[in-house]
Amino acid sequence: MTVKVTVTGAAGQIGYALLFRIASGHLLGPDVPVQLSLLEITPALKAAEGTAMELDDCAFPLLKGIDITDDPNYAFNGTNVALLVGARPRTAGMERGDLLSANGGIFGPQGQAINDHAADDVRVLVVGNPANTNALIAQRHAPDVPADRFTAMTRLDHNRALSQLSSKLGVPVTDIKKMTIWGNHSATQYPDLYHAEVGGKIAAELVDQDWLKDTFIPTVAKRGAAIIEARGASSAASAANAAIDHVYSWVNGTPEGDWTSAAVVSDGSYGVPEGIISSFPVVSRNGQWEIVQGLDIDDFSRGKIDASVKELQEERDAVKELGLI
Ligand code: NAI
C-alpha cells in the first residue's frame, strides 16, 4: 500500500535534504511506495515545484506522485506520516511571546487540518522550532487523533550525543546503547550518560565527571549553535537524517536491548507533568512509542531533567495565556 507522507516547509533547507531520502525508501523501508505531499507558504510554492522537478528527475522507483500546495486541508488529506518542518524562525527583536504566537498561527491550523483530513493511522513528527511546544499546539488542535501520535524531534540531539561519546572513547557508535535525551529540544536538554552503555558498561563510569558535566552536556546541547557558527546556516542534512531515523524507528520498531530518544506526550513518567511533550528514553513496539520505565534517576540527573521540564511548562503556560491551546 502506498503511504502518503506530507512535508511542510518543503522548499526549505531541511526539506531539500529530507525529500530525496523519503522518496528513495529510507523513511519507511525499501519496499514501501510513497506519495509525497509538499506544503509551503504561497511565495515558496515555485521553489517547492523546483524541488519536485528534481525528485522527478531521480526516477525513484518507490515515488508514486508529488502534490504541491499552500492549503493545509489539501496537504494533509489522507496523510499517514506528517513531517512538520516549516516554522517561523526567531528574528532580531522578537520576544518569546511573538515567536510562540507566530508559530501558534502555523501549528494550530495544521493540527486542525490533520484532525479533519489525515488518515486514521496518522503519525506526526514536529521538527520546526520550538519543536516540543509546536507539537503541543498541533496536538491540542487535533482532539480526534490519539495524543500519542504527536511527537517532536530530539533524535538529532540523541545522534549528536552518540557521536560525541563515540569519539571521546574511540568506539564505534554501534557499541553505544541506551542513550537518552531528556526534556526540551533546547539548550536545557539533558543528554544522560548514567544509563547509556558501552560494551555493557555504564558510559558515565568510562569518562571523567568533569568531561561529562563541563564538556559533553554543553557540547551536545549547544551543537546547533556551533553548526550555525561554522556553516553560516543551521543544521539541515543532519536534522533531515534524524527525522528519517525517528519515523523509521517509530514505524519499524527499535532493536531489542536498546532504546532511542523522542519527545512524546508525557503520561506522568519520571515526574514529568502529564500532557506536555517532553523527550524520554523510548522504545517502539507495534508502531507505538513506549516510555522506558523503571530507571533510577540520581540527584544530578533529577536536577537536569527538572530544569528542562520547567522550561517546557513555562512554554506551555505561555501558549495557554496567549490562547493558542
Ligand atoms: P528554512 O527556513 O530553510 O525552511 C523553512 C521553510 O518552511 C521555508 O521554505 C518556509 O517557506 C516554510 N514555511 C514557513 N511557514 C510555513 C507554513 N505555515 N506552512 C508551510 N511551510 C512553511 O528552515 P530549515 O533550516 O529547513 O529549518 C526548519 C525548522 O526546523 C526550523 O524551525 C529549525 O529551527 C528547525 N530545526 C529543528 C531541529 C530539531 O532538532 N528539532 C534541527 C534543525 C532545525
Side-chain angles (χ1 to χ4, degrees), residues 117-141:
H117 302 289
D120 288 346
D121 68 349
V122 68
R123 291 182 174 85
V124 183
L125 170 63
V126 176
V127 175
N129 281 317
N132 300 53
T133 297
N134 288 341
L136 181 71
I137 293 170
Q139 185 263 314
R140 293 291 177 89
H141 283 77

Side-chain angles (χ1 to χ4, degrees), residues 123-167:
R123 291 182 174 85
V124 183
L125 170 63
V126 176
V127 175
N129 281 317
N132 300 53
T133 297
N134 288 341
L136 181 71
I137 293 170
Q139 185 263 314
R140 293 291 177 89
H141 283 77
D144 303 331
V145 178
D148 63 3
R149 305 288 186 71
F150 284 83
T151 63
M153 190 167 94
T154 53
R155 187 64 167 263
L156 177 55
D157 309 299
H158 179 98
N159 288 343
R160 287 167 171 166
L162 290 176
S163 166
Q164 291 298 321
L165 183 64
S166 148
S167 48

Side-chain angles (χ1 to χ4, degrees), residues 7-16 39-41 43-44 69-70 72 84-89 103 105-107 110 126-131 134 152-157 160 185 234-236 238-240 242:
V7 178
T8 77
Q13 52 153 4
I14 294 177
Y16 194 71
L39 178 67
E40 259 296 350
I41 52 173
T69 182
D70 57 4
L84 309 189
V85 179
R88 176 70 205 274
N103 279 296
I106 295 173
F107 287 87
Q110 289 183 1
V126 176
V127 175
N129 281 317
N134 288 341
M153 190 167 94
T154 53
R155 187 64 167 263
L156 177 55
D157 309 299
R160 287 167 171 166
H185 168 69
S234 65
S235 36
S238 55

Side-chain angles (χ1 to χ4, degrees), residues 5-218:
V5 180
T6 300
V7 178
T8 77
Q13 52 153 4
I14 294 177
Y16 194 71
L18 182 59
L19 290 164
F20 296 85
R21 295 193 61 199
I22 299 173
S24 59
H26 290 90
L27 186 76
L28 300 160
D31 307 320
V32 185
V34 289
Q35 168 81 28
L36 279 172
S37 172
L38 314 187
L39 178 67
E40 259 296 350
I41 52 173
T42 317
L45 285 175
K46 189 148 184 267
E49 277 163 23
T51 304
M53 288 162 70
E54 283 204 69
L55 283 160
D56 284 342
D57 292 350
C58 294
F60 288 120
L62 291 173
L63 183 57
K64 297 304 167 196
I66 310 170
D67 299 313
I68 306 163
T69 182
D70 57 4
D71 176 359
N73 293 320
Y74 180 71
F76 292 114
N77 189 26
T79 289
N80 307 103
V81 178
L83 301 173
L84 309 189
V85 179
R88 176 70 205 274
R90 191 189 283 263
T91 39
M94 210 175 186
E95 299 295 329
R96 185 174 73 163
D98 302 332
L99 180 74
L100 293 172
S101 286
N103 279 296
I106 295 173
F107 287 87
Q110 289 183 1
Q112 177 79 52
I114 288 168
N115 188 68
D116 295 348
H117 302 289
D120 288 346
D121 68 349
V122 68
R123 291 182 174 85
V124 183
L125 170 63
V126 176
V127 175
N129 281 317
N132 300 53
T133 297
N134 288 341
L136 181 71
I137 293 170
Q139 185 263 314
R140 293 291 177 89
H141 283 77
D144 303 331
V145 178
D148 63 3
R149 305 288 186 71
F150 284 83
T151 63
M153 190 167 94
T154 53
R155 187 64 167 263
L156 177 55
D157 309 299
H158 179 98
N159 288 343
R160 287 167 171 166
L162 290 176
S163 166
Q164 291 298 321
L165 183 64
S166 148
S167 48
K168 171 72 178 171
L169 295 177
V171 300
V173 283
T174 45
D175 282 9
I176 305 171
K177 310 284 181 216
K178 302 183 177 176
M179 183 64 76
T180 307
I181 304 293
W182 298 88
N184 200 1
H185 168 69
S186 76
T188 68
Q189 66 176 265
Y190 173 49
D192 174 2
L193 292 188
Y194 293 94
H195 298 100
E197 294 175 6
V198 182
K201 298 199 177 92
I202 294 294
E205 291 168 9
L206 301 174
V207 296
D208 68 70
Q209 294 297 298
D210 289 346
W211 180 82
L212 189 160
K213 291 176 182 167
D214 302 334
T215 303
F216 172 74
I217 293 174

